[in-house]
Amino acid sequence: LGDMNKLAADVGGLQRVLTNVKSRGVFGEVQLAGLLEQVFTTDQYASNVATVPGSSERVEFAIRFPGSSSDAPVWLPIDSKFPREDYERLLDAQERADAEAARLAGDALERRVREEAKRIRGKYIAAPHTTEFGVLFLPTEGLYAEVLRRPGLFEAMQREHRITLAGPTTLLALLTSLQVGFRTVAIEKRSAEVWRILGAAKTEFGKFGDVLDNVKNKPEQASRQIDQTGVRTRAIERRLREVESLPDESATPLLDDGAPEA
């Protein structure tokens, strides 16, 4: 009984949190932040972003896409909404099997989603500073499923307002696919850099070959010079053979004349 009372108190606390509009917004925002942190690095997204230049409106989160320059990225705005009152009225009518009340609550929920999509489109989307579409995040799978049950609502959001609806699982799949795209772009960028490096290395190898040719030519040139000195030496020897050897008595005075006195 004590455990049940404690559980009831915890549920009541959660109820009070979700009753407050601001707290519900924080709930959706925290959940959205957790999903982004699972997939992206901190430099691939940002919070409280003014996606439209000169506007004071700031979206909860936006994913950073590479733009024409590093200082001007292209943003994908993502805003979370939790229309709890309309959703609870719908669930209550369904539990009571009240078809008319369920229809009215469903219509109210659809209107609320359309209004939020229109607001996101008007405040946060402005190509080419942003993508052509934005994402409306519904923080519970039950709410997302109820919205998807509305005939043609998902397609109308994309067609009329360029807004994609996403629940937790759907958003995680979307973010993962975007991350794969980011990795592909990074690989292509690195491949281009490697290609340039290989081109520079090829040029340097060409210069290295020229240096090796010069080194090869130097020994050959030195060898030719040595051969030429051999030829000159043999020519000198031939000339010297033509000189008659002087007798010792004639050679000694000549040598002594050039020697210093003791």
Side-chain angles (χ1 to χ4, degrees):
L1 180 61
D3 291 339
M4 292 181 64
N5 289 332
K6 183 177 184 300
L7 178 61
D10 293 338
V11 172
L14 179 61
Q15 178 79 9
R16 288 191 297 274
V17 168
L18 296 181
T19 301
N20 184 272
V21 175
K22 183 176 180 181
S23 297
R24 292 203 308 272
V26 172
F27 169 73
E29 184 176 348
V30 169
Q31 190 172 9
L32 178 55
L35 292 174
L36 290 169
E37 290 174 359
Q38 288 182 33
V39 179
F40 294 132
T41 60
T42 55
D43 59 340
Q44 291 177 325
Y45 72 96
S47 60
N48 297 321
V49 183
T51 56
V52 180
S55 174
S56 60
E57 300 291 343
R58 294 181 175 272
V59 69
E60 289 178 356
F61 291 95
I63 299 174
R64 181 184 286 105
F65 286 89
S68 57
S69 65
S70 59
D71 296 333
V74 176
W75 297 103
L76 167 58
I78 304 177
D79 202 11
S80 65
K81 295 300 173 186
F82 190 6
R84 175 178 172 273
E85 291 85 357
D86 297 324
Y87 178 48
E88 283 193 346
R89 280 194 292 267
L90 176 60
L91 293 181
D92 181 65
Q94 290 174 347
E95 289 179 358
R96 292 184 287 104
D98 189 341
E100 181 62 19
R103 184 186 65 81
L104 293 175
D107 291 343
L109 178 62
E110 180 176 339
R111 285 194 301 271
R112 176 70 182 278
V113 171
R114 288 180 180 272
E115 290 172 0
E116 294 296 345
K118 183 178 180 181
R119 186 183 65 84
I120 294 173
R121 178 69 179 89
K123 290 184 177 182
Y124 307 131
I125 298 179
H129 306 290
T130 67
T131 56
E132 294 285 348
F133 70 99
V135 177
L136 173 57
F137 175 62
L138 303 173
T140 68
E141 294 292 351
L143 174 60
Y144 178 62
E146 287 295 340
V147 172
L148 288 185
R149 289 194 184 99
R150 308 297 300 176
L153 178 59
F154 187 87
E155 293 77 9
M157 294 296 93
Q158 293 181 325
R159 183 178 60 254
E160 298 174 6
H161 304 298
R162 311 292 292 177
I163 297 298
T164 296
L165 302 175
T169 303
T170 306
L171 182 63
L172 183 60
L174 174 61
L175 297 180
T176 302
S177 64
L178 292 177
Q179 177 67 351
V180 171
F182 287 151
R183 290 178 180 175
T184 302
V185 172
I187 290 173
E188 291 178 353
K189 182 178 178 181
R190 294 297 300 170
S191 298
E193 293 177 359
V194 170
W195 187 259
R196 289 194 298 269
I197 292 172
L198 290 176
K202 180 180 179 181
T203 302
E204 292 300 324
F205 268 112
K207 296 178 181 179
F208 182 69
D210 295 338
V211 173
L212 287 179
D213 291 338
N214 292 332
V215 172
K216 177 183 177 182
N217 292 333
K218 292 298 182 180
E220 292 179 353
Q221 182 179 358
S223 178
R224 288 194 297 270
Q225 293 293 334
I226 292 174
D227 292 341
Q228 292 176 4
T229 56
V231 172
R232 297 293 75 186
T233 301
R234 289 190 293 272
I236 293 171
E237 289 176 350
R238 287 197 300 271
R239 293 298 181 181
L240 291 177
R241 281 197 296 269
E242 297 175 1
V243 179
E244 293 182 355
S245 298
L246 295 175
D248 292 339
E249 61 275 10
S250 301
T252 299
L254 292 175
L255 296 175
D256 292 340
D257 290 341
E261 295 182 358

